[in-house]
Amino acid sequence: QQPVQSPQAVILREGEDAVINCSSSKALYSVHWYRQKHGEAPVFLMILLKGGEQKGHEKISASFNEKKQQSSLYLTASQLSYSGTYFCGTEYNTDKLIFGTGTRLQVFP
Amino acid sequence: GAGVSQSPSNKVTEKGKDVELRCDPISGHTALYWYRQRLGQGLEFLIYFQGNSAPDKSGLPSDRFSAERTGESVSTLTIQRTQQEDSAVYLCASSLGRGPPLDTQYFGPGTRLTVL
């Protein structure tokens, strides 16, 4: 039931782009994306709803493919501040999120 | 107002001792969640409260783990007879509790538990 994230880790130079995927074997109601910087609490980025549109947050956007039960997070023109671990949280018509294994992103100058 | 607070921030205990971890959610948030995060790992769901009720305790690893919430506010996670594998950061999150879809969860800074 835990969603699978890929890749597990990404290393970027400033200004480069990255895509993080979150896949589920069960039908999703929504997908929530969080970022956790080292030693800090996770912080909400955005939510994607079933049947909803692609969401955006500054240069970070995401999409939700209902057919594939997959969400993708797009980071464009990455900045040093984007470094951290990205988690997707999946909602399956229950009252809780099941979080993925995480994708560690490192951005270097 | 203030965000989610947790105490203590760090706890070192000896194997076999009981520990209590506290979470103060954002005022007005009816939903409260506990997660466990082992070093370098993801967020493992433990238990969820709606108000003072816990509709979903499915994530509690064993009967050594219990949690309660009072006054639709403070929650306490208790671990009895701690084991070394209980060492982790315990995160608490709260939300407005509406949905579906689920509301944004706001996380506290966590309690780092080390069992010697």
Side-chain angles (χ1 to χ4, degrees), chain A residues 29-32 47-53 55 64 66 91, chain B residues 101:
Chain A
Y29 187 87
S30 71
V31 179
H32 303 229
I47 178 175
L48 282 300
L49 305 179
K50 183 175 67 172
E53 300 174 356
K55 295 283 188 177
F64 185 3
E66 284 185 60
E91 180 182 0

Side-chain angles (χ1 to χ4, degrees), chain B residues 2-9 21-27 32 34 73-75 90-94 106-111:
Chain B
V4 178
S5 61
Q6 292 186 246
S7 60
S9 55
L21 312 180
R22 178 188 168 107
C23 172
D24 280 273
I26 293 172
S27 177
L32 188 147
W34 282 100
S73 181
V74 172
S75 176
Y90 289 82
L91 289 162
C92 172
S94 72
Y106 295 85
F107 284 82
T111 293

Side-chain angles (χ1 to χ4, degrees), chain B residues 18-59:
Chain B
D18 298 351
V19 295
E20 282 190 353
L21 312 180
R22 178 188 168 107
C23 172
D24 280 273
I26 293 172
S27 177
H29 280 195
T30 61
L32 188 147
Y33 304 82
W34 282 100
Y35 297 92
R36 179 169 69 180
Q37 187 172 33
R38 292 196 166 108
L39 186 63
Q41 303 296 310
L43 302 168
E44 179 187 358
F45 169 81
L46 297 179
I47 187 170
Y48 147 69
F49 287 91
Q50 179 62 43
N52 294 333
S53 300
D56 191 336
K57 305 179 183 179
S58 62

Side-chain angles (χ1 to χ4, degrees), chain A residues 33-60:
Chain A
W33 285 96
Y34 286 77
R35 177 173 62 204
Q36 184 178 33
K37 292 183 178 289
H38 183 69
E40 299 181 8
V43 174
F44 174 77
L45 292 176
M46 66 187 74
I47 178 175
L48 282 300
L49 305 179
K50 183 175 67 172
E53 300 174 356
Q54 181 166 334
K55 295 283 188 177
H57 176 72
E58 297 178 344
K59 292 183 179 177
I60 301 175

